[in-house]
């Protein structure tokens, strides 16, 4: 018997092994399932909602993910051997309910249990978003969230321009823009998405070029249309957040009403002379229900009162 | 209109959006943040949910319906009609 075989025999005596269906049942009841395979193995497929900590840094990182030493921890590798070593390491660290998945990920798959292909940041993403990755409030998890997010800009004008530029730079994965206007030279004093050589061309297309110039990975969905009650719900449905940069009351009410109906956060901004206003209208947020735009201004003022 | 002003307001909108997407911090819900460029001051106003609101009033959230014509005007919008 080799030293390796001897050690595995010892571990099989000291570490509790369980089968895949039992591991799944424990996970459903709140146990942490930890995939300790190498990154390239995990990248292909991994059990749904597993913690992918890797064998190398397991002992150094687990406490952040599983602070409760009483919580049941199921360790999993490809075939059930590496997880024995990992499980022993966790026991020594102080985890009291550690199991090793017998047969590893192969057994998990063969039992027909749920798997997913985890999305990871590419090397280029890591470089581009390195400053985000350094902040714990964003980190890899947050950056992946941003990459999977969809934000709709109503208007590619003075408010939408800077907001869309920065959100594209921040890595918001999908940016929708609805605007039916063309670039006018008088827009360029503040609508920083557009350029002098695009005067007379579609604002949506101009925005697409600028956004993809900054961040080619951003998917830009353009709607060369005017937002109204007939199309708002359909367009809004696909997005996580609506950024209102519209320039007229009718559109603001349309944005508000559709956002409330679909329970989407409506990030509102407006400008008058030297004054700006910002709020988030999101009555569906939290326990203390916040207002919507109509709670503030139930009806649009007559057009003659609207400054221009 | 001062061309740099929408830059400030648009950026505040962008920050709120990122916070919402990440689920961090305290979103600007129930508060209206006003920025006066000339005095270089920010003001914050608490704004409340209106239970009689024609769109989000009690029991109305999530219902697809046309807003009723009802006068519960608080004040006129301070802004909004200018070309942004």
């Amino acid at each position: 018997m080799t030293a390796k075989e001897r050690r595995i025999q010892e571990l099989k005596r000291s570490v509790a092994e369980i089968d895949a269906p039992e591991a799944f049942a424990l996970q459903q009841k709140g146990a942490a399932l930890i995939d300790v395979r190498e990154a390239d193995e995990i990248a292909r497929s991994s059990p749904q909602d597993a913690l992918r900590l890797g064998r190398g840094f397991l002992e150094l990182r687990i406490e952040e993910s599983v602070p409760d030493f009483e919580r049941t921890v199921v360790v999993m590798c490809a075939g059930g051997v590496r997880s024995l070593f990992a499980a022993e390491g966790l026991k020594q660290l102080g985890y009291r309910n550690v199991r090793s998945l017998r047969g590893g990920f192969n057994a998990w798959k063969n039992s027909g249990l749920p798997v997913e292909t985890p999305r990871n940041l590419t090397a280029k993403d890591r470089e581009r978003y390195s400053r985000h990755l350094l902040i714990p409030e964003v980190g890899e998890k947050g950056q992946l969230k941003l990459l999977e997010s969809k934000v709709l800009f109503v208007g590619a004008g003075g408010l939408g321009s800077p907001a869309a530029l920065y959100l594209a730079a921040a890595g918001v994965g999908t940016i929708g823009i609805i605007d039916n206007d063309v670039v006018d030279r008088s827009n360029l004093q503040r609508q920083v998405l557009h350029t002098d050589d695009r005067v007379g061309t579609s604002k949506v297309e101009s925005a697409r070029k600028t956004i993809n110039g900054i961040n080619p990975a951003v998917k830009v969905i353009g709607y060369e249309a005017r937002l109204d009650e007939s199309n708002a719900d359909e367009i809004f449905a696909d997005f996580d957040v609506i950024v209102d940069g519209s320039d007229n009351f009718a559109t603001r009410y349309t944005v508000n009403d559709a956002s409330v109906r679909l329970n989407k956060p409506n990030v509102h901004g407006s400008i008058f002379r030297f004054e700006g206003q910002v709020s988030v209208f999101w009555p569906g947020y939290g326990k203390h229900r916040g207002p919507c735009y109509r709670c503030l201004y139930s009806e649009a003022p007559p057009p003659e009162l609207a400054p221009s | 209109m001062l061309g740099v002003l929408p830059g400030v307001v648009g950026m505040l909108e962008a920050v709120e959006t990122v916070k919402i997407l990440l689920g961090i911090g305290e979103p600007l819900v129930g508060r209206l943040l006003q920025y006066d460029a000339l005095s270089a001051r920010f003001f914050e106003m608490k704004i409340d949910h209106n239970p009689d609101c024609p769109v989000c009033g009690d029991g109305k959230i999530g219902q697809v319906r046309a807003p009723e014509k009802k006068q519960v005007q608080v004040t006129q919008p301070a802004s909004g009609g200018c070309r942004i």
Side-chain angles (χ1 to χ4, degrees):
Chain A
M1 194 183 271
T2 63
K4 177 186 79 178
E5 285 163 351
R6 201 164 46 242
R7 180 68 183 137
I8 292 170
Q9 288 305 320
E10 281 170 16
L11 288 172
K12 277 182 177 287
R13 280 193 294 276
S14 66
V15 174
E17 288 186 284
I18 56 172
D19 291 325
E22 192 183 344
F24 179 63
L26 283 174
Q27 190 195 18
Q28 296 301 300
K29 278 189 257 169
L33 177 63
I34 299 176
D35 190 340
V36 296
R37 295 174 302 152
E38 301 291 319
D40 60 321
E41 300 173 275
I42 289 173
R44 287 192 289 273
S45 184
S46 174
Q48 199 171 351
D49 298 326
L51 300 172
R52 293 151 195 132
L53 301 177
R55 175 79 187 94
F57 288 92
L58 181 63
E59 286 89 342
L60 301 177
R61 288 181 181 159
I62 185 160
E63 220 174 326
E64 281 171 38
S65 307
V66 187
D68 177 6
F69 285 83
E70 300 296 329
R71 187 174 167 193
T72 302
V73 173
V74 181
V75 190
M76 187 216 82
C77 62
V81 175
R82 278 176 287 171
S83 59
L84 287 170
F85 289 89
E88 184 64 23
L90 295 185
K91 281 174 67 178
Q92 284 175 5
L93 204 58
Y95 287 90
R96 281 186 260 283
N97 299 300
V98 184
R99 312 274 187 277
S100 171
L101 174 53
R102 189 185 289 122
F105 186 53
N106 291 329
W108 181 277
K109 268 195 308 194
N110 291 339
S111 304
L113 295 168
V115 297
E116 62 190 0
T117 306
R119 202 171 160 196
N120 279 309
L121 294 177
T122 63
K124 258 188 173 175
D125 287 340
R126 286 182 186 285
E127 195 182 354
R128 178 181 286 268
Y129 305 116
S130 60
R131 296 304 185 279
H132 270 167
L133 302 182
L134 292 173
I135 323 173
E137 285 78 3
V138 186
E140 180 156 354
K141 217 172 150 188
Q143 191 60 52
L144 284 166
K145 261 193 208 170
L146 291 178
L147 289 168
E148 281 157 18
S149 300
K150 299 174 171 184
V151 176
L152 178 70
F153 291 86
V154 180
L159 296 169
S161 280
L165 277 181
Y166 270 83
L167 290 185
V172 168
T174 302
I175 287 182
I177 297 174
I178 175 160
D179 201 310
N180 67 342
D181 225 347
V182 294
V183 180
D184 188 270
R185 188 159 278 114
S186 70
N187 298 152
L188 301 178
Q189 167 247 24
R190 63 203 178 282
Q191 301 184 9
V192 294
L193 272 174
H194 313 301
T195 56
D196 193 74
D197 61 332
R198 296 185 204 144
V199 168
T201 66
S202 138
K203 278 193 180 176
V204 162
E205 285 315 308
S206 168
R208 186 195 304 279
K209 280 185 193 137
T210 305
I211 286 169
N212 284 143
I214 291 171
N215 193 343
V218 174
K219 182 179 171 196
V220 179
I221 303 176
Y223 302 89
E224 289 191 29
R226 195 173 174 81
L227 189 79
D228 58 35
E229 286 289 333
S230 73
N231 58 14
D233 286 28
E234 200 187 328
I235 294 172
F236 282 22
D238 270 350
F239 291 92
D240 303 313
V241 178
I242 314 300
V243 178
D244 186 0
S246 61
D247 61 2
N248 63 82
F249 290 119
T251 308
R252 276 198 202 140
Y253 285 107
T254 303
V255 168
N256 179 72
D257 297 358
S259 299
V260 172
R261 278 196 297 268
L262 302 173
N263 192 19
K264 309 270 181 190
N266 164 16
V267 180
H268 168 93
S270 63
I271 305 282
F272 179 60
R273 291 165 60 96
F274 294 102
E275 214 176 79
Q277 289 191 340
V278 193
S279 192
V280 175
F281 296 117
W282 191 8
Y285 172 80
K287 284 179 202 150
H288 303 288
R289 192 194 285 183
C292 77
Y293 186 64
R294 270 191 206 270
C295 292
L296 230 62
Y297 313 116
S298 73
E299 303 277 332
E304 60 270 23
L305 283 184
S308 63
Chain B
M1 185 213 308
L2 205 59
V4 289
L5 184 55
V8 175
V9 175
M11 288 322 305
L12 289 168
E13 291 188 78
V15 174
E16 287 308 304
T17 304
V18 167
K19 280 164 55 188
I20 292 168
L21 294 174
L22 292 173
I24 59 171
E26 193 186 334
L28 199 52
V29 171
R31 295 180 288 145
L32 187 73
L33 188 63
Q34 278 189 306
Y35 170 61
D36 179 3
L38 289 185
S39 65
R41 282 190 175 90
F42 281 96
F43 305 91
E44 191 183 301
M45 219 161 61
K46 196 174 172 299
I47 46 177
D48 285 326
H49 164 68
N50 173 7
D52 297 322
C53 173
V55 178
C56 75
D58 293 346
K60 291 194 171 115
I61 287 219
Q63 289 181 19
V64 180
R65 59 196 296 285
E68 292 159 20
K69 295 278 177 212
K70 196 172 174 184
Q71 197 67 36
V72 266
Q73 189 82 6
V74 180
T75 90
Q76 291 290 333
S79 57
C82 53
R83 298 293 299 175
I84 294 167

